Amino acid sequence: MDEEGPECGKPDFVLLDQVTMEDFMENLKLRFEKGRIYTYIGEVLVSVNPYQELPLYGPEAIAKYQGRELYERPPHLYAVANAAYRAMKRRSRDTCIVISGESGAGKTEASKHIMQYIAAVTNPSQRAEVDRVKDVLLKSTCVLEAFGNARTNRNHNSSRFGKYMDINFDFKGDPIGGHIHSYLLEKSRVLKQHVGERNFHAFYQVLRGCEDEELQNLHLQRNPAVYNFTRQGAGLNALESDERSHYLAVMEAMRVIGFSAEEVRSVRRVLAAILHLGNIEFVETEAAGLEQGHLEVAEERLVDHVAELTATPRELVLRCLLSRTVASGGRELIEKGHTAAEASYARDACAKAVYQRLFEWVVSRINIVMETRGRDPRRDGKDTVIGVLDIYGFEVFPVNSFEQLCINYCNEKLQQLFIQLILKQEQEEYQREGITWQSVDYFNNATIVELVERPHRGVLAVLDEACSAAGTITDRIFLQSLDTHHRHHPHYTSRQLCPTDKTMEFGRDFRIKHYAGDVTTSGENSAPRGQTPCPESAQELQGVARCWHRAFSPFVIKGQDKDSEVLSAAQSKQSPASGVPETQYSVEGFIDKNRDHLFQDFKRLMYNSSDPTLRAMWPDGQQDITEVTKRPLTAGTLFKNSMVALVENLASKEPFYVRCIKPNEDKVAARLDEDHCRHQVSYLGLLENVRVRRAGFASRQPYPRFLLRYKMTCEYTWPNHLLGSDKAAVSALLEQHRLQGDVAFGHTKLFIRSPQTLVTLEQSRARLIPIIVLLLQKAWRGTLARRRCRRLRAIYTIMRWFRRHKVRAHLAELQRRFQVARQPPLYGRDLVWPPPPAVLQPFQDTCQALFCRWRARQLVKNIPPSDMAQIKAKVAAMTVLQELRQDWGCRRAWVRDYLSSAIDNPTASGLFAERLKALREKDSFGAVLFSSHVRKVNRFNKSRDRALLLTDRHVYKLDPGRQYRVMRAVPLEAVTGLSVTSGRDQLVVLHARGQDDLVVCLHRCRPPLDNRVGELVGVLAEHCQGKGRALEVRVSDCIPLSQRGARRLVSVEPKPEQPEPDFRCSRGAFTLLWPSG
């Protein structure tokens, strides 16, 4: 997530230049347009529903907020979740997160993101049990949404119940269990919905998601319009594919949680039974006879379906629908038939009760799976808890009924908790910090709470009394009793007590003055839960101990600034004398809704079901009809008890708050309706919250934390102070900035009044941060360079010693292998050199060359001196031929002067000797290098037998037929090179400077076709090397030559039938026909 700049507005409303509604809305709108849907009011998070997916969530965002303080990153839900988790883990304190806002403001989504964050940052050791608990926590949301959420006019996924979830953690901070509490399920929605709304999601998911075979088993049709309970919302269905995907997701979630396949089937059967029950109609017959015959079911097949799906006898189902059994005083059983109206009432009561029991069973089943297992505090340490409260806010509509009274009582109860808890915490903190405490004048709503819950006289007590009274008690009689008990109460009135107030009707309406701020009521009877939360409700204010406890500083610190007057004005608006809005209630239906009576026959019927899941939902059905039992608690009493337990639970925890705002009524993305949001800001009391904080201390921080953030702005505190304490260092810092008049010093904390002081400090810090960053970068780069230098030195040292080791090891191996190298006659010829390390490769190459020279020396020193000339010639031939000619006669003895040999030249060796003697006298050559008979070809394309004589001074071409007469003599210094082929033929081309190239083929050898080309090349090359001049030797199968300036080519053609080597001339090229056989 990117860091925020000034163009995104103020991240905290406390930092506004002026606290007005216009400035508040302008900042809210600017941040919304920039995609910044979260803003702080101190530590309270304000969230605007974007109605679109934003790149604000996921593993990367979680990593940026994990382990950070609230002010270190831009406002985010993850920051609040992290703060709650760290408070729980660091201080072993139970914490809770209170999420409030109207329907469609994003409360449910906010709770999901909080759960995802907690799941992501826990269980680093990947324990299987912790993973199981995390999966159940995440999947439980999906299941509860299916059974407890519905589409309303304001929200397509509105929670129709209050939810509080406790998550248990072990001492390491890993989740090990949890528990869910539900409050006031809107079960009347099962029977009827307003126009534009739907029943609970579960009904439509079953109809749209089940397979055809399953629907047939449930006797259902896919069209929701077929059933009375889902007909209203049939035209509002989402795409069938969406309903099916949601259904599959719920089924998968139930499987992961641990619902068995049979339990899931039982849940589907109960939902189907409720739908069929809603279609049952009653008709009165005119036939005379017994009373039971006066009422019949219009379609008895529906009774069969209900009986089959609930696993109960058909006769008992029909009897429960048409009559009820009561026990007389003498334990005598009397069966009393219903009228059509009574039967319809019983049917509807049964449908509501069955769905409520189903919902409660689902919640309890999840709780059983999530409960901690095998925990022993003495062994495992103390467990801590994070609670997440997602509950409805204050509701005021033109016509308000029993549900609105309960919801508003809930908010009054939470506000009372704020009054009792926060002021006590405030006083304790001021006393702990040594700051003078003065009494705070505030509107205490305890009198309103007593008006509702006071024993014997409260509204709920009077309502319970009316429900339990004998005889016919109507809603009008209940209202008269209220007037009698509360005619002098300052927060209660009715038309009977105030006849001039014509906004109320006689015998129907009464009014309660609640604590909430200015309210503009809108809506209809039985409106959605959580539509218009109360301003400054206890849900948001109760536990902002570190955030909201700045609120009352004007009453505590002497010499207050002008913001104190703002606070006093804000408080005066809350006092009863200044026109607190009055909520008007209609008593119609109060008694029926509070009594919520279900005939005992239905309880016994369901308990006696052969379906164990359905039977488990009705444990009270096991009571005998003649058994005398206590009167069941009324709906109002049950809700009051649950609220008392909730308040006690919250009072024991450290709370954090998320306030959700709905940007527009049409649920359109990227559009903020200012009037609609202005109404919510007013109703939520957000502007007053800012004023309260601005009137007191805008910020308070422990001295170490304050120094850690701002110490670079003072020369006495940077980089570390040498003063006596952190408090003295903070005092020196503020004196340097001349801000000491706007703060108060506690024992451990600094209290800052105005946000301008924070702005001044932040600006000074912002100017210095780049300089400090450069300094740190320079120091860090130097550290990295020195670290790298040390590492390189260490590396080079290791490399040096390792190379030494490798060299020593290699030399030791060489010594071991070559111990036998001095033994003749091989002198280590067959020894294998070990592979050297890369660094020793040049060394080993040199050693191999030296070894070869040494071995050659050992072999050569045993050769007789007479053979040395031959050896040198062979070495010279091997060097110049470079393995280009494979067979060059190295394995035979080289005679050199073959014409003087009686073996090769038996008939003319004497003549050649005479000619040789004459040439020696004439040219004074020293030695004969080579002589042999040859077949030559000249420039005239004529081939002849000739003799070749090579001395240390000349190359002679002789005519053997004319007593070896010299036909041509070329000085040996003029010979620049020679060319041979790569085969076994004896073709030789001698190249001379300024002379025609001599093309000859050695022949008339003994044995025939003896290979003497290598000998000629070797002796000539060895002689040239001795003279210090180079001889160019070329090996090619197609040899170019020059004769009288003409360029020609000579090649070799193997010819098995050729008796003697000879040349063939064609088109200026010579071809040696060589007998290959």
Side-chain angles (χ1 to χ4, degrees):
M1 181 180 297
D2 299 335
E3 296 300 323
E4 294 184 355
E7 67 278 1
C8 297
K10 300 288 195 308
D12 194 329
F13 285 113
V14 175
L15 301 178
L16 290 175
D17 296 332
Q18 294 182 353
V19 185
T20 64
M21 179 62 75
E22 289 72 19
D23 292 332
F24 190 99
M25 292 303 303
E26 180 182 357
N27 189 63
L28 185 71
K29 184 176 182 181
L30 175 61
R31 292 183 61 77
F32 183 76
E33 291 173 348
K34 296 293 184 180
R36 311 293 174 168
I37 61 174
Y38 299 118
T39 313
Y40 288 134
I41 301 179
E43 295 178 359
V44 175
L45 183 69
V46 178
S47 170
V48 183
N49 193 343
Y51 288 120
Q52 61 179 329
E53 293 293 334
L54 295 178
L56 301 178
Y57 313 99
E60 292 184 2
I62 290 175
K64 289 185 178 181
Y65 283 90
Q66 184 176 357
R68 299 287 185 173
E69 297 290 345
L70 276 175
Y71 58 83
E72 292 187 62
R73 289 286 186 267
H76 200 286
L77 268 172
Y78 290 162
V80 176
N82 177 68
Y85 180 73
R86 294 183 71 195
M88 178 274 298
K89 190 173 181 180
R90 279 183 174 182
R91 302 191 293 272
S92 297
R93 286 284 307 276
D94 292 345
T95 62
C96 66
I97 302 175
V98 180
I99 308 172
S100 59
E102 75 170 52
S103 180
K107 300 189 299 297
T108 301
E109 290 299 317
S111 64
K112 289 181 183 178
H113 289 306
I114 291 172
M115 297 294 295
Q116 290 168 358
Y117 178 87
I118 294 175
V121 301
T122 54
N123 195 27
S125 58
Q126 301 296 317
R127 289 188 294 164
E129 175 62 17
V130 176
D131 277 338
R132 182 192 69 82
V133 173
K134 287 163 58 175
D135 289 340
V136 173
L137 290 173
L138 295 176
K139 295 298 184 181
S140 64
T141 302
C142 177
V143 176
L144 293 178
E145 283 185 2
F147 291 93
N149 289 24
R151 174 171 177 166
T152 67
N153 289 318
R154 296 192 174 189
N155 185 3
H156 288 179
N157 188 33
S158 177
S159 298
R160 312 314 304 153
F161 68 104
K163 179 180 69 174
Y164 176 77
M165 176 183 290
D166 269 333
I167 308 172
N168 297 83
F169 295 84
D170 61 12
F171 72 98
K172 293 184 294 185
D174 291 334
I176 55 173
H179 192 85
I180 298 173
H181 302 268
S182 62
Y183 303 99
L184 198 64
L185 175 71
E186 189 191 17
K187 56 185 177 181
S188 60
R189 179 169 292 272
V190 175
L191 308 180
K192 184 179 180 181
Q193 307 88 40
H194 289 292
V195 176
E197 298 188 356
R198 295 202 319 174
N199 210 323
F200 293 100
H201 294 324
F203 292 109
Y204 303 95
Q205 291 174 359
V206 167
L207 294 176
R208 296 296 192 185
C210 282
E211 300 292 341
D212 294 337
E213 181 180 357
E214 182 67 21
L215 281 181
Q216 292 178 2
N217 295 334
L218 298 176
H219 308 289
L220 293 176
Q221 302 180 33
R222 291 206 181 275
N223 186 7
V226 174
Y227 305 101
N228 292 332
F229 290 166
T230 57
R231 182 174 297 130
Q232 169 59 46
L236 303 174
N237 282 344
L239 295 176
E240 186 171 341
S241 59
D242 292 341
E243 293 286 6
R244 178 165 178 78
S245 64
H246 294 159
Y247 170 79
L248 295 177
V250 172
M251 294 298 104
E252 174 63 17
M254 295 180 75
R255 184 194 65 79
V256 172
I257 291 173
F259 288 84
S260 66
E262 181 57 35
E263 288 175 334
V264 174
R265 286 192 291 269
S266 295
V267 170
R268 287 196 291 261
R269 288 195 294 267
V270 171
L271 292 173
I274 294 173
L275 292 177
H276 290 305
L277 193 62
N279 279 10
I280 294 177
E281 301 291 343
F282 302 98
V283 293
E284 294 184 354
T285 61
E286 298 180 356
L290 297 177
E291 291 185 3
Q292 290 92 334
H294 286 217
L295 190 67
E296 294 181 354
V297 174
E299 297 183 55
E300 293 198 359
R301 65 179 181 85
L302 296 176
V303 178
D304 297 336
H305 296 340
V306 173
E308 176 185 347
L309 295 172
T310 58
T312 54
R314 178 188 182 280
E315 296 76 11
L316 292 181
V317 173
L318 187 61
R319 181 184 300 173
C320 291
L321 289 172
L322 299 180
S323 63
R324 68 188 180 104
T325 302
V326 296
S328 65
R331 303 294 180 90
E332 181 182 357
L333 300 181
I334 301 175
E335 186 173 332
K336 180 182 179 183
H338 288 319
T339 63
E342 290 174 342
S344 298
Y345 175 85
R347 175 203 62 201
D348 293 344
C350 179
K352 291 191 298 181
V354 170
Y355 191 82
Q356 182 182 19
R357 295 292 180 99
L358 172 63
F359 181 78
E360 293 174 350
W361 177 83
V362 169
V363 173
S364 65
R365 187 71 177 80
I366 295 174
N367 287 335
I368 291 173
V369 175
M370 287 198 303
E371 68 181 358
T372 57
R373 301 176 179 178
R375 298 290 296 175
D376 185 353
R378 293 173 298 180
R379 180 192 63 197
D380 303 316
K382 177 182 179 294
D383 294 345
T384 49
V385 173
I386 292 181
V388 180
L389 177 63
D390 177 5
I391 203 165
Y392 19 67
F394 206 94
E395 290 187 353
V396 178
F397 305 106
V399 179
N400 301 284
S401 188
F402 177 74
E403 292 85 359
Q404 281 69 48
L405 176 67
C406 292
I407 290 171
N408 295 340
Y409 161 68
C410 167
N411 284 271
E412 292 284 1
K413 192 71 177 174
L414 294 175
Q415 171 68 5
Q416 185 186 35
L417 174 66
F418 162 70
I419 294 171
Q420 294 174 348
L421 182 61
I422 295 305
L423 291 184
K424 179 181 178 181
Q425 292 177 347
E426 282 288 307
Q427 185 173 8
E428 290 176 352
E429 180 166 11
Y430 277 89
Q431 291 175 352
R432 187 169 57 249
E433 293 296 327
I435 297 177
T436 304
W437 171 266
Q438 295 182 1
S439 299
V440 177
D441 295 330
Y442 60 90
F443 170 46
N444 191 338
N445 72 330
T447 180
I448 302 176
V449 174
E450 288 186 359
L451 172 64
V452 179
E453 71 173 11
R454 183 180 177 183
H456 309 299
R457 294 178 56 87
V459 174
L460 295 179
V462 174
L463 182 59
D464 287 350
E465 183 180 354
C467 293
S468 61
T472 303
I473 302 297
T474 63
D475 295 324
R476 180 184 292 268
I477 296 175
F478 160 65
L479 180 58
Q480 292 174 358
S481 180
L482 281 181
D483 292 341
T484 302
H485 284 88
H486 303 294
R487 63 173 54 250
H488 300 298
H489 200 288
H491 296 276
Y492 174 87
T493 186
S494 68
R495 183 66 183 275
Q496 180 69 30
L497 302 179
C498 187
T500 59
D501 188 353
K502 297 184 179 181
T503 60
M504 296 182 289
E505 291 188 14
F506 277 109
R508 191 194 73 175
D509 298 337
F510 69 92
R511 184 174 295 157
I512 294 178
K513 298 178 182 179
H514 288 286
Y515 76 91
D518 295 339
V519 176
T520 302
T521 59
S522 62
E524 296 180 10
N525 194 16
S526 300
R529 300 289 183 266
Q531 245 168 210
T532 13
C534 56
E536 301 176 29
S537 70
Q539 303 170 36
E540 73 177 325
L541 299 176
Q542 166 225 355
V544 194
R546 298 187 311 279
C547 170
W548 285 78
H549 58 334
R550 292 86 164 176
F552 302 95
S553 58
F555 308 98
V556 180
I557 306 299
K558 296 182 179 180
Q560 301 134 352
D561 57 13
K562 60 181 181 181
D563 282 337
S564 301
E565 301 177 0
V566 176
L567 175 66
S568 301
Q571 259 193 320
S572 64
K573 293 181 180 180
Q574 296 182 5
S575 64
S578 59
V580 173
E582 301 170 344
T583 305
Q584 181 173 305
Y585 297 96
S586 171
V587 297
E588 291 181 353
F590 259 54
I591 292 180
D592 286 340
K593 293 178 180 180
N594 185 55
R595 182 185 291 127
D596 197 20
H597 183 62
L598 178 66
F599 297 139
Q600 190 71 20
D601 303 61
F602 287 107
K603 297 179 181 180
R604 289 194 297 271
L605 174 68
M606 298 302 173
Y607 177 76
N608 292 319
S609 169
S610 59
D611 185 343
T613 302
L614 183 61
R615 179 187 178 94
M617 300 178 191
W618 300 85
D620 49 347
Q622 62 181 329
Q623 297 175 351
D624 187 83
I625 189 172
T626 60
E627 183 179 349
V628 179
T629 60
K630 294 183 179 180
R631 186 184 303 275
L633 297 178
T634 60
T637 300
L638 290 173
F639 185 74
K640 181 186 71 172
N641 295 341
S642 65
M643 285 301 101
V644 171
L646 174 63
V647 166
E648 291 178 354
N649 195 356
L650 294 178
S652 64
K653 294 178 172 58
E654 180 178 347
F656 297 82
Y657 300 94
V658 179
R659 306 310 307 271
C660 300
I661 292 179
K662 185 177 182 180
N664 59 76
E665 283 287 355
D666 301 324
K667 298 177 282 293
V668 178
R671 193 184 82 188
L672 188 140
D673 185 345
E674 289 196 39
D675 292 337
H676 184 68
C677 293
R678 190 188 304 268
H679 165 72
Q680 294 178 78
V681 169
S682 299
Y683 213 80
L684 291 168
L686 300 182
L687 192 62
E688 284 72 20
N689 296 349
V690 178
R691 286 172 178 163
V692 164
R693 293 210 51 196
R694 288 283 293 268
F697 292 109
S699 175
R700 62 178 67 176
Q701 298 183 28
Y703 294 124
R705 184 187 297 177
F706 182 86
L707 278 177
L708 184 64
R709 186 164 183 82
Y710 299 113
K711 64 180 180 179
M712 71 286 299
T713 64
C714 176
E715 58 183 332
Y716 302 111
T717 57
W718 177 256
N720 294 301
H721 70 85
L722 300 176
L723 301 176
S725 64
D726 288 344
K727 181 177 180 180
V730 170
S731 177
L733 187 151
L734 294 172
E735 287 180 4
Q736 180 169 326
H737 288 280
R738 299 180 180 179
L739 299 174
Q740 64 272 22
D742 195 44
V743 300
F745 293 92
H747 295 311
T748 62
K749 293 181 180 180
L750 175 70
F751 296 77
I752 302 175
R753 286 195 179 87
S754 65
Q756 285 75 17
T757 299
L758 285 175
V759 171
T760 301
L761 292 172
E762 286 293 333
Q763 289 175 348
S764 299
R765 180 177 181 273
R767 287 193 298 269
L768 294 172
I769 285 298
I771 301 174
I772 296 174
V773 168
L774 291 176
L775 177 64
L776 293 177
Q777 286 178 344
K778 180 176 69 175
W780 179 242
R781 287 170 181 164
T783 300
L784 291 180
R786 288 188 292 273
R787 183 184 300 173
R788 184 173 181 272
C789 181
R790 290 193 297 268
R791 186 182 294 112
L792 288 176
R793 287 177 179 173
I795 290 173
Y796 291 148
T797 301
I798 294 172
M799 290 172 59
R800 184 168 61 253
W801 283 97
F802 182 72
R803 286 173 179 172
R804 290 179 181 178
H805 165 73
K806 296 293 287 185
V807 168
R808 291 171 181 170
H810 186 67
L811 293 178
E813 179 66 15
L814 286 176
Q815 184 179 6
R816 185 187 67 81
R817 293 192 181 192
F818 284 86
Q819 284 179 353
V820 297
R822 294 180 180 273
Q823 298 177 3
L826 298 180
Y827 293 104
R829 185 191 67 181
D830 298 330
L831 293 177
V832 178
W833 288 75
V839 68
L840 291 181
Q841 186 63 53
F843 168 77
Q844 180 140 318
D845 294 341
T846 303
C847 288
Q848 287 177 339
L850 291 174
F851 176 75
C852 291
R853 293 174 66 87
W854 173 83
R855 184 172 177 273
R857 175 62 182 165
Q858 297 301 316
L859 295 173
V860 167
K861 72 180 182 179
N862 296 323
I863 297 175
S866 60
D867 295 339
M868 287 304 299
Q870 184 180 167
I871 294 298
K872 291 181 179 179
K874 288 184 178 181
V875 171
M878 181 182 66
T879 302
V880 297
L881 291 177
Q882 298 178 351
E883 299 183 356
L884 297 177
R885 184 180 175 101
Q886 297 298 326
D887 190 4
W888 47 275
C890 66
R891 296 184 179 274
R892 65 176 182 83
W894 287 2
V895 179
R896 294 198 181 194
D897 187 2
Y898 290 98
L899 294 180
S900 299
S901 172
I903 297 176
D904 275 62
N905 193 10
T907 60
S909 58
L911 294 175
F912 178 74
E914 294 177 1
R915 178 62 63 185
L916 188 62
K917 181 179 179 181
L919 289 176
R920 189 188 306 270
E921 293 175 354
K922 176 184 177 182
D923 296 332
S924 301
F925 61 83
V928 176
L929 301 182
F930 184 82
S931 67
S932 176
H933 288 103
V934 297
R935 184 76 174 175
K936 73 97 181 181
V937 63
N938 59 15
R939 66 180 183 274
F940 303 111
N941 300 332
K942 295 181 179 180
S943 59
R944 297 285 187 273
D945 285 337
R946 295 288 185 263
L948 180 67
L949 173 62
L950 181 65
T951 69
D952 57 358
R953 295 180 66 88
H954 292 84
V955 176
Y956 300 97
K957 180 173 71 172
L958 308 177
D959 186 358
R962 300 175 66 180
Q963 299 179 354
Y964 294 100
R965 182 172 65 88
V966 177
M967 300 187 66
R968 182 182 176 188
V970 179
L972 193 59
E973 289 80 4
V975 176
T976 60
L978 57 81
S979 298
V980 297
T981 65
S982 61
R984 290 183 55 85
D985 58 88
Q986 299 299 298
L987 178 64
V988 177
V989 178
L990 291 171
H991 306 283
R993 186 170 48 252
Q995 305 284 335
D996 288 344
D997 292 342
L998 179 62
V999 183
V1000 298
C1001 174
L1002 307 181
H1003 79 135
R1004 293 172 59 182
C1005 303
R1006 295 292 181 272
L1009 304 180
D1010 192 16
N1011 195 342
R1012 296 176 180 175
V1013 170
E1015 185 176 355
L1016 173 61
V1017 173
V1019 296
L1020 184 58
E1022 192 270 335
H1023 176 76
C1024 291
Q1025 290 176 3
K1027 296 296 182 179
R1029 67 186 185 90
L1031 177 70
E1032 182 181 3
V1033 179
R1034 289 180 292 180
V1035 180
S1036 175
D1037 292 333
C1038 187
I1039 302 172
L1041 55 93
S1042 174
Q1043 291 182 338
R1044 296 295 181 179
R1047 302 291 295 177
R1048 291 190 174 189
L1049 297 175
V1050 60
S1051 59
V1052 178
E1053 179 182 341
K1055 202 167 184 179
E1057 66 275 10
Q1058 183 74 20
E1060 292 290 336
D1062 200 3
F1063 288 96
R1064 183 180 65 199
C1065 302
S1066 61
R1067 297 183 181 181
F1070 302 128
T1071 302
L1072 173 64
L1073 303 177
W1074 180 257
S1076 59

